[in-house]
Amino acid sequence: MFRPQIKVLDCTVRDGGLINKWQFSDDFVRKVFIALSKAGIDYMEMGYKSSEKYFSRDENGAWKFCTEEDLKRIIGDYDHKMKLSAMVDIGRIDSEDISPKKDSVLDMIRVACYAKEMDKGISLAHQCLDKGYEITINLMAVSKVLERDLDEALDDLSKSHVPVVYLVDSFGAMYSEQIHFLAKKYFAALPGKELGIHAHNNQQLAFANTIEAIIAGVNRIDATLYGMGRGAGNCPLELLLSFLKNPKFDIRPLIEVIQEIFIPIKAETEWGYHIPYMITGTLNEHPRSAMKIMESKKMPNLREYYEELRDGTPLD
Amino acid sequence: MFRPQIKVLDCTVRDGGLINKWQFSDDFVRKVFIALSKAGIDYMEMGYKSSEKYFSRDENGAWKFCTEEDLKRIIGDYDHKMKLSAMVDIGRIDSEDISPKKDSVLDMIRVACYAKEMDKGISLAHQCLDKGYEITINLMAVSKVLERDLDEALDDLSKSHVPVVYLVDSFGAMYSEQIHFLAKKYFAALPGKELGIHAHNNQQLAFANTIEAIIAGVNRIDATLYGMGRGAGNCPLELLLSFLKNPKFDIRPLIEVIQEIFIPIKAETEWGYHIPYMITGTLNEHPRSAMKIMESKKMPNLREYYEELRDGTPLD
């Protein structure tokens, strides 16, 4: 699949940080940054931009905040063509905490929001647009949104100045048919806008669903190194690059950095395909309770966990 | 996806045995047998049927041979409705080593063969048919077969009495578009025959490609518990059952047996998504050299491994 319009965004540090509260060393983040840059990746998402009014640096690593100082420590004077982004969550940052683009090394702000708070999402996105950033809205957890509510959110988006909207399978619950259905719906509802895809791997479908979205015309693609990300993780960047035929990409720096730092970290950090994540994925539930099981290191009876979650009485 | 014609075959012991030379305890195989039976799986493949003229019991566990004594030790007097199968490889067993169906607990013999030896494959399959077994031919490694040779093999098959032909992605190299293309080709070339799918997970696409095949009309589906199988493994049975809507299936006995014996064995046995398998998959190569790397426990420089394999000088 060669389509020059396709842009790849790596969100390893941002989504992977949901596992370890963004406790990555500067050395780790810099190695990721350099590898992605060498591989020709279009965007690197450095983390979340959140306010220290709401979150503490004692509990969270730098990539929960992404201040200019944090970012500049990593970039240094490395000559790169990659654009940099940060994600913001509604209610976890105020517009005044986001400096104008001219004072930032960030190129793009991605606003994550749920359908029910689309008004707040669009408002924050417009403020970032006014500050000079590229913006996107990542409409989360749509596998749980009733079609009428989704249509309303898409209608709001169609009237906004947001140029890029992401289809997000937060729970890793979707099959290719649903990706295809939703991509078609989004394109129809959002004329003139670009679509993106962000998939989770609970059912080992993150890469396949990403391919399905690409076939459906989606051009903004999220992936992470070695699939690192919350719960079952994401679409592995190294697989995506093998699929995309485009001379600007080079998979080899990714293989190097995976061998150097991701294979070791995987041995001690639980992301990827595990039965608790499979269960929340197939039942279309938030991975919260599965993450608690994985963190506890003591598995409960998984058959009972499945039955309880299926019957509506989750463990948490 | 509810289609009553779909029949699921579990080949955990057969394909998983390629990792450990079929050194499974009787207790392990019996637990798998009972779990599959309770889950409503249609067929269990117990292993390979091979001749002790060619292979030694010192090196290989019972499930390389699947004698009647081996099989009866597992089944005992357990009341089950599941059919049992064994796979045979060309040149690794002689027809006279396969007893007539009336003297066997096996219901089906699956003949694995390459396109270039289709004449031998059909001949062996016909002999098994004459002995009273259900038969299939599993046409391996088609991602490496030139289209003219594939057409000839399919033409031979179309003239045979073999009722079921499997599309096999031995190297885990195919994307959904190739599955779709080949399923269409097989259906066109093999009127009146059923198709099957056997996928490998090198690119995390085994489940997705299995779904793609089902959508294309394939009704005979291979999967394994927790994806256990050679190299990157296979389509996970627990994911497949969640996808298939059919009241005859129950996923819960599978979750139980996975927790009891597969999660522990996974901690010490290397199947699943690993970069060496990803590399052979994306480069459409046999996983042989990747398996050597994984067994050696000492990773070579994976970037160099990738470059050498890509450029045609594999390490092995």
Side-chain angles (χ1 to χ4, degrees):
Chain A
M1 172 67 70
F2 173 54
R3 197 162 68 216
Q5 298 90 330
I6 288 174
K7 300 245 183 281
V8 174
L9 181 145
D10 176 273
C11 50
T12 304
V13 176
R14 201 269 304 160
D15 210 315
L18 289 160
I19 307 172
N20 69 355
K21 299 205 169 197
W22 301 274
Q23 304 290 359
F24 296 112
S25 69
D26 282 0
D27 182 58
F28 181 98
V29 177
R30 184 162 165 90
K31 278 177 174 153
V32 170
F33 167 74
I34 289 172
L36 296 175
S37 178
K38 284 183 180 168
I41 304 305
D42 299 287
Y43 293 85
M44 173 176 175
E45 190 154 81
M46 305 295 291
Y48 283 97
K49 208 162 170 60
S50 325
S51 169
E52 293 186 43
K53 283 180 284 190
Y54 305 126
F55 295 96
S56 139
R57 285 226 178 214
D58 294 340
E59 271 182 45
N60 297 284
W63 316 105
K64 175 78 175 174
F65 303 101
C66 287
T67 63
E68 293 303 316
E69 298 73 51
D70 295 327
L71 298 167
K72 284 177 183 159
R73 253 189 354 259
I74 300 306
I75 301 161
D77 54 4
Y78 189 82
D79 183 27
H80 72 98
K81 292 181 188 141
M82 197 162 55
K83 290 186 175 179
L84 305 180
S85 81
M87 183 166 268
V88 294
D89 273 336
I90 309 295
R92 295 181 180 177
I93 191 160
D94 302 319
S95 172
E96 61 263 28
D97 298 323
I98 302 172
S99 57
K101 162 73 195 105
K102 68 176 170 53
D103 302 327
S104 176
V105 297
L106 292 173
D107 299 281
M108 182 164 72
I109 304 282
R110 303 205 301 170
V111 178
C113 76
Y114 294 104
K116 64 184 175 193
E117 55 189 12
M118 187 48 76
D119 54 338
K120 296 193 183 71
I122 291 173
S123 168
L124 182 55
H126 281 173
Q127 289 164 32
C128 295
L129 191 65
D130 291 343
K131 286 176 199 273
Y133 294 97
E134 295 179 34
I135 55 162
T136 77
I137 281 199
N138 293 32
L139 177 46
M140 296 186 292
V142 283
S143 59
K144 282 287 210 190
V145 178
L146 298 180
E147 192 155 2
R148 227 194 105 194
D149 298 333
L150 180 57
D151 287 341
E152 197 177 317
L154 293 174
D155 189 50
D156 291 347
L157 276 167
S158 75
K159 296 173 190 150
S160 76
H161 301 298
V162 177
V164 182
V165 177
Y166 272 76
L167 170 50
V168 183
D169 181 15
S170 303
F171 301 162
M174 292 188 196
Y175 296 112
S176 61
E177 288 157 307
Q178 282 136 347
I179 296 288
H180 197 87
F181 170 81
L182 286 174
K184 216 171 134 188
K185 172 189 268 295
Y186 281 37
F187 272 123
L190 302 169
K193 300 195 190 295
E194 281 270 29
L195 292 194
I197 177 78
H198 179 90
H200 277 275
N201 212 18
N202 301 59
Q203 300 190 83
Q204 300 192 5
L205 292 173
F207 178 41
N209 284 345
T210 299
I211 292 176
E212 186 70 24
I214 291 169
I215 291 170
V218 172
N219 280 335
R220 304 289 284 258
I221 317 296
D222 277 15
T224 65
L225 281 158
Y226 214 34
M228 187 186 202
R230 184 170 68 179
N234 299 93
C235 171
L237 183 63
E238 65 278 11
L239 289 174
L240 177 65
L241 245 57
S242 301
F243 174 75
L244 294 174
K245 307 277 180 264
N246 188 327
K248 79 176 177 181
F249 295 128
D250 182 358
I251 194 179
R252 294 169 304 169
L254 305 186
I255 293 174
E256 267 178 346
V257 77
I258 287 170
Q259 178 161 29
E260 187 184 350
I261 58 177
F262 284 87
I263 292 176
I265 200 182
K266 183 91 160 59
E268 47 194 65
T269 314
E270 297 285 12
W271 80 86
Y273 181 69
H274 293 280
I275 296 297
Y277 300 139
M278 181 279 285
I279 289 174
T280 61
T282 61
L283 295 175
N284 190 21
E285 293 292 342
H286 192 288
R288 199 177 293 122
S289 60
M291 289 170 77
K292 273 192 194 157
I293 288 174
M294 295 303 296
E295 279 161 20
S296 75
K297 302 284 176 197
K298 188 172 164 355
M299 287 258 178
N301 181 309
L302 292 177
R303 178 192 170 123
E304 288 172 11
Y305 170 65
Y306 171 81
E307 288 173 342
E308 286 170 16
L309 202 62
R310 182 196 61 186
D311 299 340
T313 51
L315 289 181
D316 67 326
Chain B
M1 173 66 69
F2 174 52
R3 196 162 70 215
Q5 298 90 328
I6 288 174
K7 301 245 185 280
V8 174
L9 180 145
D10 176 273
C11 50
T12 305
V13 176
R14 200 267 307 159
D15 210 314
L18 288 160
I19 306 173
N20 68 354
K21 300 204 169 197
W22 302 274
Q23 305 291 359
F24 297 111
S25 69
D26 282 0
D27 182 58
F28 180 98
V29 177
R30 185 163 164 89
K31 279 178 174 153
V32 170
F33 167 74
I34 290 172
L36 296 175
S37 179
K38 285 184 179 168
I41 303 305
D42 299 286
Y43 292 84
M44 174 175 175
E45 190 155 79
M46 304 296 291
Y48 282 98
K49 208 163 170 59
S50 325
S51 169
E52 294 186 43
K53 284 179 284 190
Y54 306 126
F55 296 96
S56 138
R57 287 227 177 214
D58 294 340
E59 272 182 45
N60 297 283
W63 316 105
K64 176 78 175 176
F65 304 100
C66 287
T67 63
E68 295 302 316
E69 298 73 53
D70 295 326
L71 298 167
K72 284 177 182 158
R73 255 192 350 262
I74 300 305
I75 301 160
D77 54 3
Y78 189 84
D79 183 27
H80 73 99
K81 293 182 188 138
M82 197 161 56
K83 290 186 175 179
L84 303 180
S85 82
M87 182 166 269
V88 295
D89 273 336
I90 308 295
R92 296 183 179 176
I93 191 160
D94 301 319
S95 173
E96 60 262 28
D97 299 321
I98 302 172
S99 56
K101 161 71 195 107
K102 67 177 173 50
D103 302 326
S104 176
V105 297
L106 291 173
D107 300 281
M108 182 163 73
I109 304 282
R110 302 205 300 170
V111 178
C113 75
Y114 295 103
K116 62 184 175 191
E117 54 188 14
M118 187 49 75
D119 54 338
K120 297 192 183 73
I122 291 172
S123 168
L124 182 55
H126 282 171
Q127 289 165 30
C128 295
L129 191 65
D130 291 343
K131 288 175 197 272
Y133 294 97
E134 296 179 32
I135 55 162
T136 77
I137 281 199
N138 293 31
L139 177 45
M140 295 187 292
V142 283
S143 59
K144 283 286 211 190
V145 179
L146 298 179
E147 194 155 3
R148 225 193 106 194
D149 299 334
L150 181 57
D151 287 341
E152 196 177 318
L154 292 174
D155 189 51
D156 290 347
L157 276 167
S158 75
K159 296 172 190 151
S160 76
H161 300 300
V162 177
V164 182
V165 177
Y166 273 75
L167 170 50
V168 183
D169 181 15
S170 303
F171 301 162
M174 292 187 196
Y175 296 112
S176 61
E177 287 158 307
Q178 282 135 345
I179 296 288
H180 198 86
F181 169 82
L182 287 174
K184 217 172 133 188
K185 173 188 268 295
Y186 281 37
F187 273 123
L190 303 169
K193 300 196 191 292
E194 281 269 30
L195 291 196
I197 177 78
H198 179 90
H200 276 275
N201 212 19
N202 301 58
Q203 301 191 82
Q204 300 193 4
L205 292 173
F207 178 41
N209 283 345
T210 299
I211 291 176
E212 186 69 24
I214 291 170
I215 291 170
V218 172
N219 280 335
R220 303 289 285 257
I221 317 296
D222 277 15
T224 65
L225 281 158
Y226 214 33
M228 187 185 202
R230 184 170 67 179
N234 299 92
C235 171
L237 183 62
E238 64 279 10
L239 288 174
L240 177 66
L241 246 58
S242 301
F243 174 75
L244 294 173
K245 306 278 179 266
N246 188 326
K248 80 175 175 180
F249 294 129
D250 183 358
I251 195 179
R252 294 170 303 170
L254 305 185
I255 293 174
E256 267 178 346
V257 77
I258 288 171
Q259 178 161 30
E260 187 184 350
I261 58 178
F262 285 85
I263 292 175
I265 200 181
K266 183 93 160 59
E268 46 195 66
T269 314
E270 298 285 11
W271 81 86
Y273 181 69
H274 292 281
I275 296 296
Y277 299 139
M278 181 279 285
I279 289 173
T280 60
T282 62
L283 295 175
N284 189 21
E285 292 293 342
H286 193 287
R288 199 177 292 120
S289 61
M291 289 170 76
K292 274 193 194 158
I293 288 175
M294 294 303 297
E295 280 161 19
S296 75
K297 303 284 177 197
K298 186 171 165 359
M299 286 259 177
N301 181 310
L302 292 177
R303 178 192 170 122
E304 288 172 11
Y305 170 64
Y306 170 81
E307 287 172 342
E308 285 171 17
L309 202 61
R310 183 196 59 184
D311 299 341
T313 51
L315 289 181
D316 68 327

PDB file of all heavy atoms in Angstrom, chain A residues 270-290:
ATOM      1  N   GLU A 270       3.919  -5.435  31.596  1.00  0.00           N
ATOM      2  CA  GLU A 270       2.891  -6.291  31.012  1.00  0.00           C
ATOM      3  C   GLU A 270       2.029  -5.545  29.997  1.00  0.00           C
ATOM      4  O   GLU A 270       0.957  -5.057  30.331  1.00  0.00           O
ATOM      5  CB  GLU A 270       1.966  -6.829  32.116  1.00  0.00           C
ATOM      6  CG  GLU A 270       2.636  -7.710  33.148  1.00  0.00           C
ATOM      7  CD  GLU A 270       2.945  -9.106  32.623  1.00  0.00           C
ATOM      8  OE1 GLU A 270       2.853  -9.314  31.401  1.00  0.00           O
ATOM      9  OE2 GLU A 270       3.290  -9.965  33.442  1.00  0.00           O
ATOM     10  N   TRP A 271       2.495  -5.442  28.763  1.00  0.00           N
ATOM     11  CA  TRP A 271       1.536  -5.043  27.742  1.00  0.00           C
ATOM     12  C   TRP A 271       1.496  -6.159  26.708  1.00  0.00           C
ATOM     13  O   TRP A 271       2.356  -7.042  26.703  1.00  0.00           O
ATOM     14  CB  TRP A 271       1.895  -3.690  27.108  1.00  0.00           C
ATOM     15  CG  TRP A 271       2.948  -3.712  26.048  1.00  0.00           C
ATOM     16  CD1 TRP A 271       2.775  -3.956  24.718  1.00  0.00           C
ATOM     17  CD2 TRP A 271       4.354  -3.480  26.217  1.00  0.00           C
ATOM     18  NE1 TRP A 271       3.981  -3.884  24.061  1.00  0.00           N
ATOM     19  CE2 TRP A 271       4.961  -3.594  24.947  1.00  0.00           C
ATOM     20  CE3 TRP A 271       5.159  -3.187  27.322  1.00  0.00           C
ATOM     21  CZ2 TRP A 271       6.340  -3.419  24.748  1.00  0.00           C
ATOM     22  CZ3 TRP A 271       6.528  -3.019  27.120  1.00  0.00           C
ATOM     23  CH2 TRP A 271       7.099  -3.136  25.844  1.00  0.00           C
ATOM     24  N   GLY A 272       0.511  -6.113  25.857  1.00  0.00           N
ATOM     25  CA  GLY A 272       0.394  -7.146  24.837  1.00  0.00           C
ATOM     26  C   GLY A 272      -0.798  -8.042  25.105  1.00  0.00           C
ATOM     27  O   GLY A 272      -1.661  -7.730  25.937  1.00  0.00           O
ATOM     28  N   TYR A 273      -0.852  -9.135  24.382  1.00  0.00           N
ATOM     29  CA  TYR A 273      -2.010 -10.027  24.436  1.00  0.00           C
ATOM     30  C   TYR A 273      -1.997 -10.858  25.710  1.00  0.00           C
ATOM     31  O   TYR A 273      -1.087 -11.679  25.909  1.00  0.00           O
ATOM     32  CB  TYR A 273      -2.008 -10.952  23.215  1.00  0.00           C
ATOM     33  CG  TYR A 273      -3.195 -11.897  23.177  1.00  0.00           C
ATOM     34  CD1 TYR A 273      -4.466 -11.416  22.945  1.00  0.00           C
ATOM     35  CD2 TYR A 273      -3.025 -13.260  23.394  1.00  0.00           C
ATOM     36  CE1 TYR A 273      -5.562 -12.274  22.923  1.00  0.00           C
ATOM     37  CE2 TYR A 273      -4.109 -14.120  23.359  1.00  0.00           C
ATOM     38  CZ  TYR A 273      -5.373 -13.621  23.124  1.00  0.00           C
ATOM     39  OH  TYR A 273      -6.450 -14.470  23.095  1.00  0.00           O
ATOM     40  N   HIS A 274      -2.962 -10.619  26.558  1.00  0.00           N
ATOM     41  CA  HIS A 274      -3.155 -11.429  27.766  1.00  0.00           C
ATOM     42  C   HIS A 274      -4.654 -11.680  27.907  1.00  0.00           C
ATOM     43  O   HIS A 274      -5.473 -10.857  27.480  1.00  0.00           O
ATOM     44  CB  HIS A 274      -2.624 -10.700  29.004  1.00  0.00           C
ATOM     45  CG  HIS A 274      -1.129 -10.536  29.007  1.00  0.00           C
ATOM     46  ND1 HIS A 274      -0.271 -11.545  29.374  1.00  0.00           N
ATOM     47  CD2 HIS A 274      -0.349  -9.487  28.667  1.00  0.00           C
ATOM     48  CE1 HIS A 274       0.981 -11.125  29.260  1.00  0.00           C
ATOM     49  NE2 HIS A 274       0.964  -9.881  28.831  1.00  0.00           N
ATOM     50  N   ILE A 275      -4.998 -12.793  28.526  1.00  0.00           N
ATOM     51  CA  ILE A 275      -6.417 -13.183  28.593  1.00  0.00           C
ATOM     52  C   ILE A 275      -7.303 -12.113  29.253  1.00  0.00           C
ATOM     53  O   ILE A 275      -8.402 -11.835  28.747  1.00  0.00           O
ATOM     54  CB  ILE A 275      -6.573 -14.566  29.271  1.00  0.00           C
ATOM     55  CG1 ILE A 275      -5.887 -15.660  28.413  1.00  0.00           C
ATOM     56  CG2 ILE A 275      -8.041 -14.916  29.469  1.00  0.00           C
ATOM     57  CD1 ILE A 275      -6.479 -15.858  27.025  1.00  0.00           C
ATOM     58  N   PRO A 276      -6.892 -11.475  30.350  1.00  0.00           N
ATOM     59  CA  PRO A 276      -7.783 -10.426  30.901  1.00  0.00           C
ATOM     60  C   PRO A 276      -8.088  -9.322  29.884  1.00  0.00           C
ATOM     61  O   PRO A 276      -9.240  -8.872  29.782  1.00  0.00           O
ATOM     62  CB  PRO A 276      -6.990  -9.895  32.099  1.00  0.00           C
ATOM     63  CG  PRO A 276      -6.145 -11.057  32.527  1.00  0.00           C
ATOM     64  CD  PRO A 276      -5.746 -11.738  31.251  1.00  0.00           C
ATOM     65  N   TYR A 277      -7.098  -8.901  29.106  1.00  0.00           N
ATOM     66  CA  TYR A 277      -7.344  -7.875  28.083  1.00  0.00           C
ATOM     67  C   TYR A 277      -8.222  -8.438  26.953  1.00  0.00           C
ATOM     68  O   TYR A 277      -9.060  -7.735  26.388  1.00  0.00           O
ATOM     69  CB  TYR A 277      -6.033  -7.367  27.488  1.00  0.00           C
ATOM     70  CG  TYR A 277      -5.099  -6.729  28.491  1.00  0.00           C
ATOM     71  CD1 TYR A 277      -3.730  -6.969  28.446  1.00  0.00           C
ATOM     72  CD2 TYR A 277      -5.583  -5.875  29.482  1.00  0.00           C
ATOM     73  CE1 TYR A 277      -2.861  -6.375  29.354  1.00  0.00           C
ATOM     74  CE2 TYR A 277      -4.723  -5.289  30.398  1.00  0.00           C
ATOM     75  CZ  TYR A 277      -3.359  -5.556  30.333  1.00  0.00           C
ATOM     76  OH  TYR A 277      -2.510  -4.969  31.228  1.00  0.00           O
ATOM     77  N   MET A 278      -7.995  -9.690  26.603  1.00  0.00           N
ATOM     78  CA  MET A 278      -8.838 -10.332  25.587  1.00  0.00           C
ATOM     79  C   MET A 278     -10.294 -10.307  26.047  1.00  0.00           C
ATOM     80  O   MET A 278     -11.199  -9.985  25.277  1.00  0.00           O
ATOM     81  CB  MET A 278      -8.353 -11.778  25.392  1.00  0.00           C
ATOM     82  CG  MET A 278      -9.095 -12.582  24.347  1.00  0.00           C
ATOM     83  SD  MET A 278     -10.673 -13.305  24.889  1.00  0.00           S
ATOM     84  CE  MET A 278     -10.108 -14.659  25.912  1.00  0.00           C
ATOM     85  N   ILE A 279     -10.494 -10.597  27.325  1.00  0.00           N
ATOM     86  CA  ILE A 279     -11.870 -10.648  27.856  1.00  0.00           C
ATOM     87  C   ILE A 279     -12.525  -9.272  27.796  1.00  0.00           C
ATOM     88  O   ILE A 279     -13.657  -9.135  27.310  1.00  0.00           O
ATOM     89  CB  ILE A 279     -11.857 -11.234  29.294  1.00  0.00           C
ATOM     90  CG1 ILE A 279     -11.525 -12.732  29.239  1.00  0.00           C
ATOM     91  CG2 ILE A 279     -13.200 -10.987  29.990  1.00  0.00           C
ATOM     92  CD1 ILE A 279     -11.331 -13.397  30.593  1.00  0.00           C
ATOM     93  N   THR A 280     -11.847  -8.213  28.250  1.00  0.00           N
ATOM     94  CA  THR A 280     -12.478  -6.880  28.172  1.00  0.00           C
ATOM     95  C   THR A 280     -12.701  -6.493  26.719  1.00  0.00           C
ATOM     96  O   THR A 280     -13.717  -5.877  26.393  1.00  0.00           O
ATOM     97  CB  THR A 280     -11.653  -5.786  28.888  1.00  0.00           C
ATOM     98  OG1 THR A 280     -10.358  -5.674  28.282  1.00  0.00           O
ATOM     99  CG2 THR A 280     -11.510  -6.084  30.368  1.00  0.00           C
ATOM    100  N   GLY A 281     -11.766  -6.862  25.837  1.00  0.00           N
ATOM    101  CA  GLY A 281     -11.932  -6.529  24.420  1.00  0.00           C
ATOM    102  C   GLY A 281     -13.144  -7.207  23.804  1.00  0.00           C
ATOM    103  O   GLY A 281     -13.985  -6.548  23.193  1.00  0.00           O
ATOM    104  N   THR A 282     -13.253  -8.517  23.999  1.00  0.00           N
ATOM    105  CA  THR A 282     -14.375  -9.223  23.362  1.00  0.00           C
ATOM    106  C   THR A 282     -15.705  -8.787  23.975  1.00  0.00           C
ATOM    107  O   THR A 282     -16.732  -8.853  23.315  1.00  0.00           O
ATOM    108  CB  THR A 282     -14.264 -10.763  23.481  1.00  0.00           C
ATOM    109  OG1 THR A 282     -14.267 -11.110  24.861  1.00  0.00           O
ATOM    110  CG2 THR A 282     -12.995 -11.285  22.860  1.00  0.00           C
ATOM    111  N   LEU A 283     -15.679  -8.343  25.234  1.00  0.00           N
ATOM    112  CA  LEU A 283     -16.927  -7.908  25.876  1.00  0.00           C
ATOM    113  C   LEU A 283     -17.145  -6.400  25.729  1.00  0.00           C
ATOM    114  O   LEU A 283     -18.103  -5.858  26.280  1.00  0.00           O
ATOM    115  CB  LEU A 283     -16.930  -8.316  27.347  1.00  0.00           C
ATOM    116  CG  LEU A 283     -16.946  -9.835  27.593  1.00  0.00           C
ATOM    117  CD1 LEU A 283     -16.819 -10.136  29.086  1.00  0.00           C
ATOM    118  CD2 LEU A 283     -18.215 -10.475  27.034  1.00  0.00           C
ATOM    119  N   ASN A 284     -16.257  -5.733  24.995  1.00  0.00           N
ATOM    120  CA  ASN A 284     -16.387  -4.291  24.748  1.00  0.00           C
ATOM    121  C   ASN A 284     -16.453  -3.504  26.053  1.00  0.00           C
ATOM    122  O   ASN A 284     -17.351  -2.696  26.258  1.00  0.00           O
ATOM    123  CB  ASN A 284     -17.620  -4.004  23.866  1.00  0.00           C
ATOM    124  CG  ASN A 284     -17.658  -2.555  23.381  1.00  0.00           C
ATOM    125  OD1 ASN A 284     -16.643  -1.856  23.357  1.00  0.00           O
ATOM    126  ND2 ASN A 284     -18.836  -2.089  23.006  1.00  0.00           N
ATOM    127  N   GLU A 285     -15.491  -3.767  26.930  1.00  0.00           N
ATOM    128  CA  GLU A 285     -15.421  -3.054  28.207  1.00  0.00           C
ATOM    129  C   GLU A 285     -14.089  -2.335  28.334  1.00  0.00           C
ATOM    130  O   GLU A 285     -13.094  -2.741  27.734  1.00  0.00           O
ATOM    131  CB  GLU A 285     -15.569  -4.042  29.382  1.00  0.00           C
ATOM    132  CG  GLU A 285     -16.940  -4.694  29.492  1.00  0.00           C
ATOM    133  CD  GLU A 285     -18.050  -3.713  29.876  1.00  0.00           C
ATOM    134  OE1 GLU A 285     -17.743  -2.608  30.388  1.00  0.00           O
ATOM    135  OE2 GLU A 285     -19.229  -4.046  29.650  1.00  0.00           O
ATOM    136  N   HIS A 286     -14.064  -1.287  29.140  1.00  0.00           N
ATOM    137  CA  HIS A 286     -12.821  -0.578  29.454  1.00  0.00           C
ATOM    138  C   HIS A 286     -11.826  -1.572  30.063  1.00  0.00           C
ATOM    139  O   HIS A 286     -12.222  -2.444  30.842  1.00  0.00           O
ATOM    140  CB  HIS A 286     -13.137   0.545  30.451  1.00  0.00           C
ATOM    141  CG  HIS A 286     -12.014   1.524  30.630  1.00  0.00           C
ATOM    142  ND1 HIS A 286     -10.858   1.218  31.310  1.00  0.00           N
ATOM    143  CD2 HIS A 286     -11.855   2.805  30.195  1.00  0.00           C
ATOM    144  CE1 HIS A 286     -10.045   2.271  31.304  1.00  0.00           C
ATOM    145  NE2 HIS A 286     -10.623   3.249  30.627  1.00  0.00           N
ATOM    146  N   PRO A 287     -10.534  -1.461  29.718  1.00  0.00           N
ATOM    147  CA  PRO A 287      -9.563  -2.442  30.241  1.00  0.00           C
ATOM    148  C   PRO A 287      -9.190  -2.261  31.717  1.00  0.00           C
ATOM    149  O   PRO A 287      -8.365  -3.002  32.238  1.00  0.00           O
ATOM    150  CB  PRO A 287      -8.330  -2.197  29.351  1.00  0.00           C
ATOM    151  CG  PRO A 287      -8.440  -0.775  28.918  1.00  0.00           C
ATOM    152  CD  PRO A 287      -9.925  -0.529  28.751  1.00  0.00           C
ATOM    153  N   ARG A 288      -9.842  -1.317  32.377  1.00  0.00           N
ATOM    154  CA  ARG A 288      -9.515  -0.970  33.776  1.00  0.00           C
ATOM    155  C   ARG A 288      -9.372  -2.204  34.673  1.00  0.00           C
ATOM    156  O   ARG A 288      -8.344  -2.412  35.314  1.00  0.00           O
ATOM    157  CB  ARG A 288     -10.650  -0.078  34.285  1.00  0.00           C
ATOM    158  CG  ARG A 288     -10.353   0.746  35.492  1.00  0.00           C
ATOM    159  CD  ARG A 288     -11.570   1.613  35.800  1.00  0.00           C
ATOM    160  NE  ARG A 288     -11.809   2.623  34.766  1.00  0.00           N
ATOM    161  CZ  ARG A 288     -12.954   2.743  34.064  1.00  0.00           C
ATOM    162  NH1 ARG A 288     -13.954   1.899  34.233  1.00  0.00           N
ATOM    163  NH2 ARG A 288     -13.079   3.695  33.170  1.00  0.00           N
ATOM    164  N   SER A 289     -10.408  -3.039  34.687  1.00  0.00           N
ATOM    165  CA  SER A 289     -10.389  -4.182  35.606  1.00  0.00           C
ATOM    166  C   SER A 289      -9.319  -5.192  35.191  1.00  0.00           C
ATOM    167  O   SER A 289      -8.677  -5.817  36.039  1.00  0.00           O
ATOM    168  CB  SER A 289     -11.766  -4.848  35.677  1.00  0.00           C
ATOM    169  OG  SER A 289     -12.161  -5.317  34.392  1.00  0.00           O
ATOM    170  N   ALA A 290      -9.088  -5.314  33.887  1.00  0.00           N
ATOM    171  CA  ALA A 290      -8.036  -6.229  33.407  1.00  0.00           C
ATOM    172  C   ALA A 290      -6.660  -5.718  33.813  1.00  0.00           C
ATOM    173  O   ALA A 290      -5.768  -6.497  34.167  1.00  0.00           O
ATOM    174  CB  ALA A 290      -8.129  -6.378  31.890  1.00  0.00           C
TER     175      ALA A 290
END
